[in-house]
Structure formats: C-alpha cells, structure tokens
Amino acid sequence: MAQPEPKLTPREKAKVAWYVGRMAKRGIAGEAVYQRDLEAKVEGVIEGARKREEREAKANK
C-alpha cells in the first residue's frame, strides 16, 4: 500500500522545486536526456520527510 504524501517543510519544498525546475530544463533539451538522478533526489527528499514525520509522531506520543 502506498504511503500518503508527507507534509513538507519549507526547506524540503524548496529542494523539490529546485529539482523539478532542473528536470524541466533538461526536458526542454529532449526526451533522450537522462533525468533519473534528479527523480531519485526528489524521492529521497520525500522519503526523508516521511521518516521525519514518523520520528515526530513517536516523540509526541
């Protein structure tokens, strides 16, 4: 089952926006341009936010 999207901090939102902007720039260059590295970085930021939310939830119990 897919986990719900975590609530991102302003810093995490800025990182994701930066990576998406870079992906858009590469997308202009054509479809053959490699973007998996940037996609992995976005996934890493989101996964980090999930872990942060889990830690915060445990600390607030």
Side-chain angles (χ1 to χ4, degrees), residues 14-57:
K15 279 185 172 183
V16 169
W18 176 259
Y19 294 139
V20 169
R22 288 181 61 196
M23 283 190 274
K25 187 176 176 183
R26 286 185 186 180
I28 293 170
E31 294 203 15
V33 177
Y34 184 74
Q35 292 194 21
R36 183 64 191 134
D37 60 329
L38 296 175
E39 292 170 359
K41 288 181 181 187
V42 170
E43 290 170 7
V45 170
I46 293 171
E47 186 61 31
R50 278 194 190 104
K51 289 179 182 179
R52 178 187 41 79
E53 280 190 345
E54 288 175 9
R55 281 193 313 265
E56 290 174 355

